[in-house]
């Protein structure tokens, strides 16, 4: 006789099934078969057959007798002590036979015999007819056994799939694995198998997306990181995946004295800890120690056999506002705030950081955190919680104070190291330097053996004898030393800086205090123009360690800069030097602006980017002074740079502050600049940007129209195009369209190209695709003639869309590929993601596998750049593929995720919104939920209607199939 408990309880004898009777007898047999041959107490049998407790001992005996009669001579149930047992061969029970076969299959897999493993595991899994022990849903004993069996079943299923993958059966495994992963999102082995199957089929990018989804589920549900095995697989897949280029630690021009043991210790701490903070007083050498330790980790030298980490160094000292910390990290990581398109601030910098770092192996060095400790602590805690492969090395005068922080107190140098440091630095600036060790030791001890103070003192050995230096220590000793409270630490370092400052000549002091207006350092030319500093004085300040010189720029230590700024105020020169600084920045960006729309843009972008910190400082000063004209002109002339770099959000708060100060009255002669300011203000995150846009949009539109009447050029053509893109889904899209398209005969060639580009959409709205394609072609010619890669990529992408709309997919793909080359040269991750989605749409009809690859790669790029707009578009594409393959659950999941990501106020989100809503409608229709489908189609029609063009033409241009478009039109408002 054979027995089955992998499903409902059954028994077979000979060639037929044995009738067992009612549910009580089936439950009784199942309990006895959980462990064949073992005694089960009568009390437990009675309790679990009837949890309500209505059955007596006599009733149990009666059920046993009836079960014996049903089984006949096929199996014996005997009384044993206070219970019963069934005497059968365990291999006659399907559960026992399953466990034996599954174990043999796993052994065969471990021995490398995948073929035999597949046979054994399939045989084992075919024994299952439903949920284990299905006739005992309320039995504690049975359910414990069922859980064990179900877990074993899932393990056997994983073994069988892995064996199939080893035999090359990747394609067949993917659909099954998708379904299993959807049911078991926390099952890491299933996720790993799906990643391997996808990668084997060319879907590396989608495999990376799978890892990120699993990592997120583990973090959200369990607060856990992925296993070492899954992480190792992910690392393999990343080998060909492009990474952002983070800012490397600053190169050091001098030897590192006296800290070798500390460097090794910090590097070892970073091997086992995710947050290490170097704490100590100012000037003790925390920054230099962090650079050296990060360098050791970055070369894989933290431990024998350790892999090298990527390192990103973020200098926080120039920041004055904690809200700017996330943007500083984005900049250091080589990521743009919101790409070449302004997305209305739909995603905060913190969200973009999380998206960019979620799967990166990175050591993030946060230097000089003490003045922003609360903000840095909060951001570090969130990043570490959401980015499991991130480690942070911070330097601060006080701990960050968050869970998981490992503190490393940085002490002053020991006596020997301090003397060696002074002697080496002094010998570097004065050939043949000699001094008695006692005198040098006295100087170092008076300086608390602080490396910064020693470096400053040694630099003066170029012009002062060692004895003269020693005699000047009395002024330094006038301030108490050794107190480690915040105020006293500041005073001690301040004394060191003041003493070094007093050793400068009067002209050097004047130059140094003026140099403090530079937030991010300066070239020699800039220092001369703003501060009147000649090259010889700059070199002298660098020799004396008041300035650092590297990469053609001079930078001032922040502690010295703060002291020098006070001296600048005391000298009454603050306003005049700040004004000169702002005018210098205005002249620089005004010079660069036209080059950024021509072939030289790749050369000029880094020139302006190097001055980003100073641009922000000049803007803040001009707004708060107030120097209204300077502020407006700075924003307008920098607009092209900010747009290309995607950094508009970094100036949005300042733009809002400026608009608040001037109100809705447009300043005379600054109408165009006012409109630019309104566009920048609108890019602020949250309600502030939207409120500024609503309050000032009408006045700005009139001012912009007056500045570009069509027969003469204005000053800032980029503002025109972005004005149309910002208004395309607003209350007056036609007015914005007419303003830009009226520039077709404008003297400015960039404005003419932009006008042709915009007019193409007008032709599409009128149902004239040939005229539209001609207009887009003229725009492309105009941008190419100028050498503007971004404008050319924009036009190429639109030409690809028109080609795809008329069915010429080959041309559409070729044009998209050409545009991708240009965005790649610009480093435009978001725009590359946008183009990849478009290419996926063109490929989907003929090559769904290639389309899936493009969508997955676009999703990976969008996540790395932190862009919700393009992540939504990629998820929509993946939803389309799932829907075509008949996987309604996965399609709905992808569409829902996309809808959550979409920013409804930006023109680039219109297409993804319409197509996502229609996709959800198609899912509902496929399930027979026709009312829900009509609601989704109606929502799609309402979104498409916002552009002001005929709805059928909009739907056609968005690439909707004819039947889907007809469903949308039918669901639209009555009378359509």
């Amino acid at each position: 006789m054979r027995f089955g408990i992998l499903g409902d309880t059954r028994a077979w004898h000979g060639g037929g099934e044995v009738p067992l009777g009612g549910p009580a007898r089936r439950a009784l047999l199942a309990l006895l078969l959980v462990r064949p041959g073992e005694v089960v107490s009568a009390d437990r049998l009675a309790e679990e057959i009837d949890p309500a407790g209505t059955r007596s001992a006599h009733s149990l005996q009666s059920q046993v007798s009836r079960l014996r009669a049903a089984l006949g001579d096929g199996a014996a149930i005997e009384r044993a002590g206070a219970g019963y047992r069934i005497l059968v061969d365990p291999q006659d029970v399907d559960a026992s036979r399953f466990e034996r076969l599954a174990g043999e299959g796993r052994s065969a897999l471990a021995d490398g015999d995948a073929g035999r493993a597949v046979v054994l595991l399939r045989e084992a899994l075919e024994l299952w007819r439903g949920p284990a022990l299905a006739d005992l849903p309320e039995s504690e004993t049975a359910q414990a056994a069922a859980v064990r069996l179900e877990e074993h079943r899932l393990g056997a299923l994983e073994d069988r799939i892995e064996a199939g993958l080893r035999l090359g059966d990747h394609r067949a495994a993917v659909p099954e694995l998708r379904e299993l992963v959807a049911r078991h999102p926390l099952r890491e082995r299933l996720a790993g198998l799906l990643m391997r199957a996808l990668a084997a089929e060319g879907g590396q990018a989608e495999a990376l997306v799978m890892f990120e989804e699993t990592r997120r589920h583990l973090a959200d549900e369990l607060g856990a990181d992925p296993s070492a095995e899954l992480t190792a697989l992910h690392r393999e897949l990343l080998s060909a995946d492009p990474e952002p280029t983070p800012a490397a630690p600053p190169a050091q021009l001098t030897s590192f004295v006296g800290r070798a043991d500390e460097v090794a210790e910090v590097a070892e701490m970073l091997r086992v800890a995710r947050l290490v903070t170097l704490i100590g007083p100012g000037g003790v050498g925390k920054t230099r120690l962090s650079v050296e330790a990060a360098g050791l980790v970055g070369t894989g030298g933290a431990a024998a056999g350790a892999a090298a980490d990527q390192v990103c160094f973020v200098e926080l000292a120039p920041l004055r506002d904690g809200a700017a910390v996330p943007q500083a990290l984005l900049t250091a990581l080589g990521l743009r705030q919101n790409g070449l398109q302004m997305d209305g601030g739909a995603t905060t910098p913190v969200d973009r950081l999380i998206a960019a770092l979620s799967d990166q192996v990175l050591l993030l060095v946060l230097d000089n955190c003490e003045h922003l400790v609360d903000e840095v602590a909060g951001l570090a805690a969130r990043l570490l919680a959401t980015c499991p492969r991130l480690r942070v090395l911070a330097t601060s005068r006080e701990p960050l104070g968050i869970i998981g922080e490992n503190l490393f107190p940085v002490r002053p140098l020991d006596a020997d190291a301090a003397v060696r440091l002074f002697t080496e630095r002094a010998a570097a600036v004065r050939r043949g330097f000699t001094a008695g060790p006692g005198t040098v030791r006295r100087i170092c001890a008076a300086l608390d053996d602080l490396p910064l103070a020693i470096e400053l003192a040694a630099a003066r050995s170029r012009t002062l004898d060692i004895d003269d230096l020693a005699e000047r220590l009395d002024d330094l000793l006038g301030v108490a030393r050794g107190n480690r409270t915040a105020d006293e630490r500041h005073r001690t370092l301040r004394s060191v800086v003041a003493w070094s400052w007093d050793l400068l000549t009067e002209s050097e002091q004047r130059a140094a205090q003026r140099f403090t207006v530079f937030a991010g350092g300066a070239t020699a030319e800039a220092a001369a123009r703003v501060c009147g500093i000649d090259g010889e004085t700059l070199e002298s300040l660098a020799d004396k360690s008041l300035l650092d010189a590297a990469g053609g720029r001079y930078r001032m230590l922040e502690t010295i800069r703060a002291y020098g700024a006070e001296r600048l105020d005391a000298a009454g020169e603050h306003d005049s030097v700040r004004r000169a600084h702002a005018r210098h920045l205005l002249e620089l960006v005004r010079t660069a602006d036209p080059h950024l729309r021509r072939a030289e843009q790749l050369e000029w972008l880094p020139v302006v980017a190097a001055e980003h910190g100073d641009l922000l400082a000049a803007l803040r000063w001009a707004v708060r002074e107030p120097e209204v004209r300077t502020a407006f002109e700075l924003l307008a002339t920098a607009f092209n740079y900010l747009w290309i770099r995607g950094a508009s959000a970094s100036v949005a708060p300042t733009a809002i502050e400026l608009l608040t100060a001037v109100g809705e009255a447009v300043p005379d002669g600054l109408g165009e600049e006012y409109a630019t300011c309104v566009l920048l203000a609108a890019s602020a995150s949250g309600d502030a940007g939207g409120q500024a846009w609503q309050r000032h949009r009408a006045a700005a539109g009139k001012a912009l129209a007056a500045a570009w009447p069509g027969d003469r050029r204005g000053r800032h053509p980029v503002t025109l195009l972005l004005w149309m893109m910002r208004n395309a889904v607003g209350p007056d899209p036609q007015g914005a369209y007419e303003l830009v398209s009226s520039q077709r005969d404008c003297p400015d060639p960039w404005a003419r190209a932009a006008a042709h580009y915009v007019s193409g959409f007008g032709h599409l709205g009128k149902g004239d695709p040939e005229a539209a394609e001609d207009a887009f072609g003229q725009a492309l010619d105009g941008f190419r003639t100028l050498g503007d890669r971004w404008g050319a990529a924009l036009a190429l992408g639109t030409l690809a869309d028109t080609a795809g709309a008329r069915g010429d997919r080959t041309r559409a793909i070729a044009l998209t590929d050409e545009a991708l080359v240009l965005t790649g040269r610009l480093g435009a991750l978001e725009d590359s993601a946008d183009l990849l989605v478009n290419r996926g749409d063109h490929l989907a009809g003929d090559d769904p596998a290639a389309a899936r690859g493009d969508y997955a790669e676009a999703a990976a790029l969008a996540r790395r750049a932190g862009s919700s707009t393009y992540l939504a578009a990629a998820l929509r594409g993946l939803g389309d593929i799932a829907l075509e393959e008949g996987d309604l659950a996965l399609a709905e999941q992808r569409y829902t995720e996309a809808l959550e990501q979409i920013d409804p106020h930006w023109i680039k989100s219109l297409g993804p919104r319409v197509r996502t809503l229609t996709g959800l409608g198609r899912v509902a229709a496929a399930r027979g939920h026709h009312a829900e489908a009509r609601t989704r189609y109606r929502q799609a029609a309402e979104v498409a209607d916002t552009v002001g063009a005929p709805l059928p033409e909009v739907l056609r241009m968005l690439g909707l199939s004819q039947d889907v478009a007809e469903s949308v039109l039918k669901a639209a408002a009555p009378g359509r």
Side-chain angles (χ1 to χ4, degrees):
M1 182 169 282
R2 293 179 296 108
F3 300 91
I5 58 175
L6 299 180
D8 55 353
T9 309
R10 295 189 183 184
W12 300 271
H13 190 247
E17 185 173 349
V18 177
L20 298 174
R25 263 167 278 168
R26 304 177 82 88
L28 172 62
L29 178 59
L31 284 170
L32 294 172
L33 290 172
V34 168
R35 296 189 183 278
E38 294 187 11
V39 176
V40 184
S41 72
D43 290 342
R44 178 169 291 278
L45 288 171
E47 177 184 351
E48 299 204 20
I49 292 174
D50 180 20
T54 60
R55 293 188 182 276
S56 64
H58 176 74
S59 176
L60 176 64
Q61 291 174 2
S62 175
Q63 293 296 337
V64 170
S65 297
R66 293 177 182 179
L67 182 59
R68 284 170 174 161
L71 297 178
D73 59 0
I77 299 176
E78 66 176 23
R79 180 84 183 199
Y84 296 89
R85 65 184 173 191
I86 188 168
L87 301 179
V88 298
D89 185 340
Q91 290 306 304
D92 288 336
V93 182
D94 59 0
S96 299
R97 192 158 65 257
F98 161 74
E99 291 185 294
R100 175 181 62 79
L101 290 168
E104 292 175 358
R106 174 164 291 187
S107 297
L109 183 64
D111 293 338
D113 191 347
R116 182 168 181 269
V118 166
V119 173
L120 289 168
L121 291 163
R122 281 179 177 166
E123 183 180 353
L125 291 166
E126 286 170 356
L127 294 170
W128 285 75
R129 295 168 288 103
L133 296 158
D135 289 319
L136 288 164
E138 299 181 10
S139 165
E140 181 178 340
T141 299
Q143 288 311 301
V147 169
R148 177 182 60 81
L149 286 167
E150 292 287 354
E151 177 65 22
H152 201 173
R153 178 190 191 183
L154 192 54
L157 190 57
E158 291 171 333
D159 288 340
R160 194 262 296 159
I161 293 173
E162 180 169 341
L165 293 180
R166 293 187 186 182
L167 295 173
D169 194 14
H170 306 100
R171 179 166 298 180
V174 170
E176 182 180 15
L177 282 167
R178 288 189 195 279
E179 180 182 355
L180 288 169
V181 169
R183 293 207 312 261
H184 305 281
L186 302 179
R187 190 89 175 183
E188 291 188 74
R189 189 182 179 196
L190 284 173
L193 290 170
L194 179 54
M195 290 166 62
R196 287 168 53 190
L198 290 169
E201 287 296 299
Q204 181 189 24
E206 189 175 1
L208 296 174
V209 173
M210 182 70 254
F211 174 83
E212 169 56 22
E213 291 176 352
T214 304
R215 184 204 65 73
R216 187 173 66 249
H217 282 305
L218 291 170
D220 292 346
E221 300 296 330
L222 305 178
D225 295 334
S227 65
E229 293 79 7
L230 194 63
T231 301
L233 174 59
H234 181 246
R235 189 178 295 115
E236 291 178 21
L237 295 174
L238 281 173
S239 60
D241 197 37
E243 302 276 352
T245 304
Q252 303 301 311
L253 303 179
T254 57
S255 61
F256 191 50
V257 176
R259 300 281 197 198
D261 292 341
E262 288 95 324
V263 170
E265 188 175 353
V266 172
E268 178 61 20
M269 287 180 70
L270 287 168
R271 189 177 68 84
V272 296
R274 296 186 61 216
L275 172 62
V276 175
T277 303
L278 309 183
I279 59 171
V284 79
K286 302 184 295 296
T287 296
R288 184 65 186 271
L289 178 57
S290 72
V291 170
E292 299 295 331
L296 186 59
V297 173
T299 59
D309 275 12
Q310 200 169 26
V311 178
C312 178
F313 191 92
V314 187
E315 171 58 74
L316 299 177
L319 302 184
R320 289 293 172 267
D321 183 0
V325 173
Q327 176 60 39
L329 268 64
L330 284 172
T331 301
L333 285 162
L335 297 172
R336 300 172 301 147
Q337 167 58 23
N338 57 352
L340 299 183
Q341 312 270 1
M342 293 169 60
D343 63 8
T347 305
T348 68
V350 175
D351 292 333
R352 301 173 75 85
L353 281 170
I354 292 172
L357 297 176
S358 61
D359 62 359
Q360 297 298 312
V361 179
L362 182 74
L363 173 61
L364 187 63
V365 183
L366 303 177
D367 189 41
N368 290 315
C369 302
E370 56 271 0
H371 60 306
L372 304 169
V373 67
D374 292 336
E375 294 85 354
V376 173
L379 179 59
R382 186 169 178 189
L383 290 178
L384 288 167
T386 53
C387 307
R389 306 177 77 188
L390 175 71
R391 288 182 287 173
V392 174
L393 175 61
T395 74
S396 179
R397 297 185 191 180
E398 62 180 291
L400 299 186
I402 60 178
I403 295 175
E405 184 179 30
N406 290 257
L407 298 179
F408 187 94
V410 182
R411 308 296 184 189
L413 294 171
D414 63 45
D416 292 341
V419 169
R420 190 164 72 253
L421 175 63
F422 184 98
T423 303
E424 181 175 314
R425 297 298 190 263
V429 299
R430 186 167 183 169
R431 182 173 298 179
F433 171 82
T434 58
T439 303
V440 174
R441 178 68 203 124
R442 183 159 61 90
I443 294 173
C444 293
L447 298 172
D448 276 339
D449 293 321
L450 294 173
L452 173 61
I454 292 171
E455 298 243 14
L456 293 172
R460 295 305 299 137
S461 299
R462 180 181 180 185
T463 55
L464 293 175
D465 292 331
I466 187 67
D467 293 331
D468 292 333
L469 282 172
E471 289 175 3
R472 299 190 181 207
L473 293 176
D474 289 342
D475 292 339
L476 177 64
L477 297 175
V479 178
R481 296 181 292 109
N483 189 329
R484 297 310 181 194
T485 65
D487 287 343
E488 290 302 313
R489 286 200 304 270
H490 177 68
R491 288 174 59 193
T492 301
L493 183 57
R494 179 189 183 90
S495 297
V496 173
V497 177
W499 171 78
S500 177
W501 192 279
D502 289 340
L503 295 177
L504 300 175
T505 66
E506 183 177 347
S507 62
E508 288 172 340
Q509 288 182 354
R510 185 165 55 251
Q513 68 193 31
R514 291 176 177 175
F515 192 90
T516 60
V517 298
F518 290 105
T523 63
E525 179 184 1
R529 294 176 65 87
V530 174
C531 308
I533 307 175
D534 58 51
E536 183 178 352
T537 304
L538 279 174
E539 292 295 334
S540 179
L541 291 173
D543 286 344
K544 297 169 184 177
S545 298
L546 271 294
L547 295 178
D548 287 330
R553 296 178 70 85
Y554 292 88
R555 292 176 174 82
M556 181 174 277
L557 294 173
E558 191 61 26
T559 51
I560 299 172
R561 182 170 172 259
Y563 182 84
E566 294 178 358
R567 297 296 296 264
L568 185 67
D569 288 344
E573 292 189 319
H574 177 274
D575 287 345
S576 61
V577 181
R578 281 286 178 192
R579 185 170 290 106
H581 176 253
R583 289 174 178 170
H584 163 70
L585 265 297
L586 178 58
E587 182 178 341
L588 185 145
V589 292
R590 183 177 283 157
T591 301
D593 182 47
H595 295 289
L596 297 180
R597 296 189 297 276
R598 299 201 294 255
E600 316 89 87
Q601 61 188 180
L602 293 182
E603 301 169 14
W604 278 88
L605 276 172
V607 172
V608 184
E611 309 295 339
H612 187 79
D614 281 275
L615 174 63
L616 298 183
L619 277 169
R620 286 192 294 266
W621 174 84
V623 170
R624 293 165 190 175
E625 182 53 23
E627 288 271 354
V628 172
R629 175 170 291 276
T630 300
F632 273 118
E633 290 180 343
L634 271 171
L635 284 170
T637 53
F639 186 44
N640 199 13
Y641 153 72
L642 293 168
W643 180 21
I644 294 175
R645 285 290 182 179
S648 58
S650 66
V651 301
T654 308
I656 292 174
E657 187 177 350
L658 179 58
L659 289 173
T660 301
V662 302
E664 298 175 34
V666 180
D668 290 342
L670 295 174
E672 194 171 355
E673 288 76 6
Y674 182 89
T676 306
C677 185
V678 172
L679 283 171
L680 288 168
S683 67
S685 59
D687 295 334
Q691 291 172 0
W693 173 250
Q694 294 300 328
R695 186 178 303 115
H696 302 280
R697 182 186 62 81
K702 293 178 181 177
L704 189 61
W708 289 85
D711 57 350
R712 55 182 172 83
R713 72 176 71 189
R715 292 180 293 275
H716 305 289
V718 176
T719 303
L720 276 173
L721 179 57
L722 198 55
W723 185 261
M724 186 280 293
M725 297 178 76
R726 183 72 195 179
N727 280 274
V729 292
D732 183 24
Q734 186 63 26
Y737 161 78
E738 290 176 353
L739 170 61
V740 184
S741 61
S742 67
Q743 308 301 318
R744 286 189 293 269
D745 297 321
C746 176
D748 186 285
W750 200 95
R752 289 199 304 274
H756 286 300
Y757 175 75
V758 171
S759 65
F761 293 102
H763 293 304
L764 287 175
K766 297 174 182 177
D768 190 349
E770 293 183 0
E773 192 162 11
D774 180 67
F776 293 138
Q778 291 184 64
L780 177 60
D781 291 341
F783 288 130
R784 277 177 168 167
T785 300
L786 290 167
D788 180 8
R789 295 162 184 81
W790 189 88
L794 194 71
L796 284 166
T798 315
L799 282 168
D801 291 339
T802 57
R806 68 166 183 267
D808 190 349
R809 293 178 178 175
T810 301
R811 176 169 168 75
I813 293 168
L815 291 169
T816 305
D817 288 343
E818 189 176 350
L820 278 166
V821 171
L822 297 178
T823 57
R825 293 191 65 188
L826 287 169
L829 295 181
E830 291 174 305
D831 298 283
S832 294
D834 184 28
L835 289 165
L836 283 167
V837 170
N838 293 344
R839 189 171 70 181
D841 291 342
H842 299 316
L843 287 167
D846 299 324
D847 192 347
R852 179 190 287 113
D854 276 350
Y855 295 141
E857 184 180 353
L861 288 178
R863 283 193 171 95
R864 183 168 298 112
S867 170
S868 63
T869 295
Y870 300 119
L871 176 58
L875 290 170
R876 185 276 307 162
L878 291 171
D880 288 349
I881 295 295
L883 182 57
E884 292 301 324
E885 292 177 344
D887 192 337
L888 299 182
L890 181 60
E892 183 178 37
Q893 177 185 343
R894 294 287 187 245
Y895 290 140
T896 302
E897 291 172 349
L899 209 57
E900 292 171 352
Q901 296 283 342
I902 290 175
D903 166 25
H905 304 296
W906 177 236
I907 182 62
K908 276 292 185 178
S909 294
L910 185 139
R913 283 185 74 197
V914 172
R915 297 190 65 166
T916 299
L917 289 167
T918 57
L920 287 169
R922 293 174 64 197
V923 171
R927 289 172 170 166
H929 303 161
H930 300 298
E932 180 184 348
R934 286 193 296 272
T935 298
R936 290 300 190 183
Y937 291 146
R938 184 170 59 253
Q939 291 171 342
E942 291 169 354
V943 173
D945 252 348
T946 59
V947 298
L951 183 57
E953 186 61 27
V954 175
L955 299 179
R956 188 184 68 83
M957 281 304 301
L958 290 177
L960 298 184
S961 64
Q962 183 175 352
D963 58 333
V964 174
E966 289 176 354
S967 297
V968 174
L969 289 169
K970 185 176 180 181
R976 160 89 39 204

